Amino acid sequence: MYIYLNRPDLIANKAAVLSQLGSVVDNEGAVINKPSEIVNKVAPTAVEPDVVPMNIVVKKPNFWTYSGDYFLQFLQNYVSNNWYKGGESNFSMVGSAVLQANYNNKQKVKWDNKLELKLGYQTSRGDTLHRYKTSEDLIRYTSKLGLQASKKWYYTIQMIANTQFTHSYKSNDPMVYSDFLSPLNVNFSVGMDYDVLWFNKRLTGTVHLAPFAYNFKYVERLNLSKRYGLDEGKHTLNDIGSQFGIDLIWKLAENVKWKTRLYGYTTYKRAELEWENTFTFQFNKYISTNIFVFPRFDDGGERDGHHGYWQLKEYASIGFSYSF
């Protein structure tokens, strides 16, 4: 501004001339080409996945488990008439079915149900009155409702009911010694259960202890009343006492299993004790052999002159079996 005001002779152009010449650099409309970055050259093209509709089904949890155990087994024995030790030929067969339906909601409530059916027949040439006689006969239903008290203990209400399918005889004796509903036993008990899970789950089962138990006994055939501890001419017997039970399955080896049931009931005037033992030798999936030993004590019935109040049943058989 000093030169412009004091030395106007040095000014070559005036503002009017500059406005006519325009700006020194005109950037308007200029295009700058930048080189492509390497990321743009190698970056993969994003592939959007196709949307597939999904049918999602939400099922309610199933707290029920079902299992079964079946077998049909045979035993045949032939003895000639001149066999030096005597004896007689016989043939027997026994079938069994054990069905279980158990409920466990994993929130302290369990309900176990077991139905046991067993029926066996035998023949012998020495019996001239009966072509067939029962060797095994059982209908038994066990129901147990439990409320968890701790990890292994449950408060339990239990019911056991048992009778048999048909009548039974002794050799060359026309008398009927037991029959359907003769007797019928129903036992209700209140107590606690302990869950057994020992030896890496090879020994499993329950122990039931009931300080209070009610037992109902019914005999349809009046001539059998006294034989089963009832007053003569009476159909029913009601009493109260205590009861315990042990049901265990022990897998002794890969193909050997021991199933045991120990049951006891007492009114403090009379007592019943049953100990059922079944040893199963499994040859393959469908062939097995069983050894069954069953001692029993009952001082409520008639006393035997030789065995007292003790009774014993035992048999061995081989045949077909199936489990699921």
Side-chain angles (χ1 to χ4, degrees):
M1 291 299 295
Y2 175 80
I3 294 172
Y4 185 81
L5 294 174
N6 296 290
R7 293 292 305 273
D9 56 308
L10 297 178
I11 303 301
N13 292 312
K14 297 181 180 179
V17 177
L18 291 176
S19 60
Q20 294 177 1
L21 294 176
S23 60
V24 178
V25 179
D26 187 5
N27 292 327
E28 186 176 356
V31 178
I32 301 175
N33 294 322
K34 293 184 179 180
S36 300
E37 296 184 10
I38 188 67
V39 175
N40 297 329
K41 293 182 178 180
V42 301
T45 303
V47 178
E48 295 294 334
D50 295 333
V51 178
V52 179
M54 300 293 291
N55 295 324
I56 300 176
V57 179
V58 179
K59 296 183 178 180
K60 293 182 178 180
N62 185 10
F63 299 122
W64 286 93
T65 58
Y66 304 93
S67 63
D69 190 7
Y70 310 89
F71 69 77
L72 178 63
Q73 300 190 330
F74 306 89
L75 178 64
Q76 184 269 337
N77 180 34
Y78 173 77
V79 180
S80 63
N81 292 331
N82 62 344
W83 184 248
Y84 75 107
K85 287 187 177 181
E88 65 177 10
S89 302
N90 62 74
F91 174 83
S92 64
M93 62 173 292
V94 58
S96 172
V98 179
L99 306 174
Q100 297 190 67
N102 300 327
Y103 174 87
N104 188 347
N105 68 354
K106 310 297 182 181
Q107 296 179 355
K108 296 188 175 184
V109 176
K110 289 202 312 182
W111 183 24
D112 297 339
N113 298 273
K114 180 166 65 173
L115 177 63
E116 299 168 86
L117 307 173
K118 188 181 292 186
L119 183 61
Y121 281 96
Q122 65 177 4
T123 64
S124 60
R125 292 189 300 180
D127 188 355
T128 59
L129 291 180
H130 313 104
R131 186 175 181 182
Y132 302 102
K133 299 189 301 291
T134 56
S135 58
E136 281 289 327
D137 198 348
L138 174 67
I139 303 173
R140 182 166 60 212
Y141 171 66
T142 304
S143 181
K144 187 185 300 183
L145 178 63
L147 178 65
Q148 190 171 22
S150 64
K151 185 177 180 180
K152 295 289 186 179
W153 287 93
Y154 284 80
Y155 301 109
T156 306
I157 300 174
Q158 178 178 268
M159 184 199 75
I160 303 176
N162 66 82
T163 184
Q164 62 188 65
F165 286 97
T166 185
H167 40 262
S168 62
Y169 303 97
K170 290 184 179 181
S171 293
N172 296 308
D173 189 344
M175 176 181 172
V176 176
Y177 283 83
S178 61
D179 201 350
F180 179 69
L181 299 181
S182 293
L184 166 67
N185 287 286
V186 182
N187 185 279
F188 294 92
S189 62
V190 178
M192 296 195 73
D193 267 31
Y194 177 78
D195 280 351
V196 176
L197 199 64
W198 298 342
F199 305 124
N200 294 324
K201 299 182 180 180
R202 299 180 72 89
L203 177 59
T204 59
T206 59
V207 177
H208 178 67
L209 304 174
F212 176 81
Y214 163 73
N215 193 78
F216 170 78
K217 184 176 289 188
Y218 174 79
V219 177
E220 186 175 28
R221 292 177 175 262
L222 287 177
N223 63 313
L224 298 178
S225 298
K226 192 174 180 181
R227 175 177 176 82
Y228 290 103
L230 282 69
D231 294 334
E232 190 170 355
K234 296 289 187 180
H235 283 289
T236 62
L237 173 66
N238 299 274
D239 49 33
I240 296 174
S242 59
Q243 182 248 331
F244 76 92
I246 300 174
D247 285 275
L248 299 175
I249 299 177
W250 194 349
K251 193 173 183 180
L252 300 171
E254 191 63 30
N255 60 339
V256 180
K257 182 173 62 177
W258 173 33
K259 183 179 180 181
T260 183
R261 172 186 178 267
L262 180 62
Y263 168 84
Y265 171 75
T266 178
T267 64
Y268 307 107
K269 292 183 179 180
R270 67 178 185 88
E272 296 179 17
L273 183 66
E274 299 178 345
W275 188 20
E276 300 177 32
N277 298 274
T278 304
F279 297 89
T280 302
F281 301 86
Q282 195 78 34
F283 298 113
N284 55 41
K285 186 176 180 180
Y286 299 108
I287 304 297
S288 68
T289 184
N290 283 350
I291 297 176
F292 180 72
V293 182
F294 184 8
R296 185 177 187 275
F297 176 88
D298 185 1
D299 62 0
E302 297 178 346
R303 181 183 176 89
D304 181 79
H306 180 66
H307 299 286
Y309 294 114
W310 284 98
Q311 306 163 24
L312 178 65
K313 176 185 286 188
E314 178 271 334
Y315 68 80
S317 60
I318 186 170
F320 303 101
S321 64
Y322 179 73
S323 300
F324 72 89

